[in-house]
Amino acid sequence: MRALVMEQGADGLAEAQIKDIDEGLLPSGDVMVRVEYSTLNYKDGLCLSPKGGGLVRSYPHVPGIDFAGTVEASEDARYVPGDKVVLTGWRVGEVHWGGYAEKARVKADWLVPLPQGLTTRQAMAVGTAGFTAMLAVLALEDHGLTPAKGPVLVTGAAGGVGSVATAILANLGYEVAGVTGRPEQAEYLTSLGASQIVARSEINETVKRPLEAETWAGCIDAVGGEMLARILGQLKYGGSVAAIGLAGGASLPASVIPFLLRGVNLLGIDSVMQPYENRNRAWARIATDLPMNKLEDMIVPATLEDVPQLGADILSGQVKGRVVVSMT
């Protein structure tokens, strides 16, 4: 089987190589999947870096935190050969060998059936990024967000999570304001359904006042840091932020006043360890609420040979939309 393998050199730094390896080297698991597509996420960029981004525990290692494909063999009654399946999370591609290979062997508990109406290619155009975006939308809805309540802010809007979140929210009838530090992406965000483009410089400032004008009914935030702190003070009464990333830093120099005087909510979104029921709920909504024509416009096709450079590109903020890596 063909795979992208990270191997450590004498200097302790890892390098990616495309190799033919024996499938017997795959780690233990209940289900063997013939991988059809994988994708590229920020975590993949970290795993592909020379030091593994602090995520990879041992080498040699096959990265790729997402994959979709067809069951080839199964020791678990829930899956039989020929079933189409999707995997995201569970530290696959970090601790366990992942999807940058023609085959993957994993635990059955980590898989979900491919939702009806989606192809494996579309599922990987969604990937962890789109799955996270849908989890964020569901969390905001569960806390009372509706289109009638006002505009929703999406930070890092041209990235993987932001692109899918913008398209889903717009399709559901929300007014979407997309934040980006790349002015040249305005047309792209508008094509996904954003009705307002917010320059990152306008909102990426240290909090000057704990409360500002009530502007946003909700927010999906990929940045964290000072930007998130400021957004909390701009939420409407009872509004929520779904926090999905920390591109701007892990610290939160915020005041508790927005929580106490406006009843705002800060909702943490984890995609890695989500229970099976929530995974199915999110994937079912993706199949119905994400416009497939918009998803197609986000896709950047790639091969295994392209992945190492794309991994470096995503770490430097140079990847737009959703990379789909074909194994065929």
Side-chain angles (χ1 to χ4, degrees):
M1 54 171 270
R2 192 162 170 267
L4 185 155
V5 183
M6 300 292 294
E7 294 187 315
Q8 265 182 330
D11 58 2
L13 301 179
E15 184 177 357
Q17 299 181 32
I18 310 296
K19 303 176 66 174
D20 286 320
I21 63 173
D22 190 319
E23 66 181 56
L25 296 174
L26 290 170
S28 62
D30 309 309
V31 183
M32 178 78 85
V33 179
R34 177 166 289 280
V35 178
E36 296 169 13
Y37 295 97
S38 187
T39 184
L40 182 80
N41 299 282
Y42 192 85
K43 273 188 178 180
D44 293 310
L46 293 173
C47 292
L48 289 159
S49 65
K51 295 185 178 180
L55 301 176
V56 180
R57 299 286 181 85
S58 63
Y59 295 94
H61 179 70
V62 176
I65 69 171
D66 300 337
F67 65 79
T70 303
V71 172
E72 196 169 79
S74 175
E75 299 173 6
D76 188 287
R78 287 171 289 180
Y79 297 103
V80 298
D83 285 349
K84 298 289 187 179
V85 291
V86 181
L87 184 143
T88 62
W90 299 112
R91 304 213 66 190
V92 170
E94 303 173 44
V95 176
H96 193 92
W97 282 17
Y100 291 154
E102 291 178 332
K103 294 186 181 183
R105 185 159 49 211
V106 296
K107 293 182 179 180
D109 288 341
W110 297 345
L111 298 168
V112 295
L114 181 72
Q116 188 171 3
L118 284 184
T119 66
T120 52
R121 179 175 180 270
Q122 289 169 332
M124 284 301 95
V126 174
T128 282
F131 175 61
T132 302
M134 191 72 246
L135 290 173
V137 172
L138 291 172
L140 291 173
E141 288 179 345
D142 290 345
H143 282 77
L145 183 67
T146 64
K149 292 193 173 180
V152 179
L153 191 70
V154 178
T155 69
V161 179
S163 294
V164 179
T166 298
I168 291 173
L169 288 167
N171 188 54
L172 291 171
Y174 288 92
E175 179 185 347
V176 182
V179 180
T180 181
R182 297 178 278 173
E184 69 275 12
Q185 301 302 340
E187 184 177 350
Y188 167 71
L189 292 175
T190 301
S191 74
L192 295 180
S195 54
Q196 181 182 351
I197 308 299
V198 179
R200 183 169 59 199
S201 58
E202 291 181 20
I203 202 165
N204 194 22
E205 297 179 1
T206 303
V207 174
K208 295 185 174 66
R209 300 187 306 277
L211 293 177
E212 298 183 55
E214 295 184 49
T215 306
W216 317 112
C219 172
I220 296 176
D221 175 57
V223 177
E226 294 178 351
M227 186 180 293
L228 174 55
R230 185 157 188 216
I231 290 166
L232 289 168
Q234 296 180 346
L235 287 176
K236 293 187 176 186
Y237 188 90
S240 301
V241 176
I244 61 90
L246 42 66
S251 63
L252 184 60
S255 165
V256 299
I257 290 178
F259 301 100
L260 301 179
L261 298 187
R262 286 191 183 158
V264 306
N265 306 290
L266 179 57
L267 312 174
I269 306 299
D270 166 63
S271 66
V272 177
M273 306 301 290
Q274 278 290 319
Y276 181 80
E277 294 76 12
N278 283 353
R279 288 178 182 274
N280 275 334
R281 179 189 178 205
W283 278 107
R285 285 286 301 272
I286 287 166
T288 59
D289 295 344
L290 175 58
M292 289 301 116
N293 63 323
K294 302 291 187 186
L295 182 66
E296 188 65 34
D297 290 342
M298 299 177 204
I299 292 176
V300 179
T303 65
L304 272 183
E305 286 77 8
D306 300 322
V307 167
Q309 182 59 54
L310 287 167
D313 290 345
I314 200 169
L315 294 182
S316 61
Q318 299 305 306
V319 172
K320 178 185 79 173
R322 299 293 300 132
V323 173
V324 175
V325 183
S326 174
M327 298 300 152
T328 58

